[in-house]
């Protein structure tokens, strides 16, 4: 997701492995943190809990959603849809087709479910990247540590 957002902003290709039909279960970061907090408070020591987002989505649909939101809140300089940058690339050998989590146990035993839908979470994520571009660009161009350590 960060690569796709950055590539949109830089008018670079948006790489999609294979045919884009690989499926992933997406979870918004704050939901993940809240799940860990709930487990620390209510979980049984030594037990294993899967944390999932109940958002199994095809990779191509993730990218198309990002493009649509970016078109809306940060149109490209050419006013063309970012989806024009989608480029299908060779899939990695042995690439898993589907990643999924059965989060039934955490729901039933801890009474935890994600608060964010994929659409609300991806919108918040994109806005965060747009509002914090100066910070993450320093990490991207490897100047963050030098600046932080007073080496620049």
């Amino acid at each position: 997701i960060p690569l796709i957002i950055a590539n949109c902003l830089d008018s670079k290709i948006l790489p999609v492995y294979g045919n884009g039909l690989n499926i992933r279960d997406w979870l918004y970061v704050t939901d993940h943190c809240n799940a860990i907090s709930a487990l620390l408070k209510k979980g049984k020591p030594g037990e294993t809990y899967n944390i999932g987002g109940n958002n199994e989505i095809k990779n191509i649909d993730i990218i198309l959603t990002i493009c649509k939101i970016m078109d809306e809140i940060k149109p490209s300089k050419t006013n063309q849809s970012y989806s024009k940058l989608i480029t299908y690339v060779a899939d990695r050998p042995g690439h898993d087709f589907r990643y999924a989590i059965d989060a039934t146990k955490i729901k039933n035993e801890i009474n935890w479910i994600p608060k964010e839908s994929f659409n609300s979470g991806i919108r918040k994520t994109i806005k965060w990247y747009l509002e914090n571009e100066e910070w993450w660009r320093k990490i991207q161009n490897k100047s963050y540590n030098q600046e932080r350590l007073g080496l620049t």
Side-chain angles (χ1 to χ4, degrees):
I1 290 175
L3 175 69
I4 298 303
I5 296 168
N7 281 10
C8 283
L9 293 173
D10 295 338
S11 298
K12 291 181 178 178
I13 70 161
L14 307 179
V16 179
Y17 284 121
N19 57 13
L21 300 180
N22 295 38
I23 297 170
R24 302 292 180 259
D25 182 17
W26 296 95
L27 177 66
Y28 184 63
V29 65
T30 303
D31 280 332
H32 197 182
C33 294
N34 290 337
I36 292 169
S37 178
L39 288 170
L40 289 170
K41 292 173 188 169
K42 300 178 187 177
K44 295 176 188 164
E47 287 291 312
T48 300
Y49 298 88
N50 291 328
I51 302 170
N54 302 316
N55 286 305
E56 289 187 36
I57 303 171
K58 292 180 278 192
N59 286 348
I60 188 62
D61 292 336
I62 301 293
I63 294 173
L64 289 169
T65 299
I66 293 170
C67 290
K68 182 179 176 188
I69 294 168
M70 290 288 291
D71 288 343
E72 175 192 326
I73 63 177
K74 180 79 172 176
S76 74
K77 293 171 186 153
T78 65
N79 286 321
Q80 283 195 324
S81 174
Y82 290 106
S83 64
K84 300 281 186 196
L85 298 170
I86 292 173
T87 303
Y88 291 88
V89 298
D91 207 347
R92 298 179 303 200
H95 198 184
D96 291 331
F97 180 74
R98 179 174 178 248
Y99 295 159
I101 294 288
D102 179 357
T104 304
K105 183 176 178 180
I106 193 171
K107 178 183 176 185
N108 292 342
E109 291 185 19
I110 308 300
N111 198 29
W112 180 88
I113 58 170
K115 291 181 182 174
E116 298 293 338
S117 68
F118 174 75
N119 288 327
S120 66
I122 195 67
R123 185 171 288 275
K124 287 179 180 184
T125 300
I126 291 168
K127 284 184 177 183
W128 185 92
Y129 273 89
L130 294 175
E131 292 168 1
N132 294 279
E133 185 174 359
E134 183 179 344
W135 178 80
W136 62 259
R137 288 285 186 190
K138 289 177 185 175
I139 294 169
Q140 186 183 47
N141 68 26
K142 298 179 177 42
S143 66
Y144 177 74
N145 279 337
Q146 286 80 12
E147 184 178 294
R148 193 170 58 91
L149 297 171
L151 301 174
T152 59

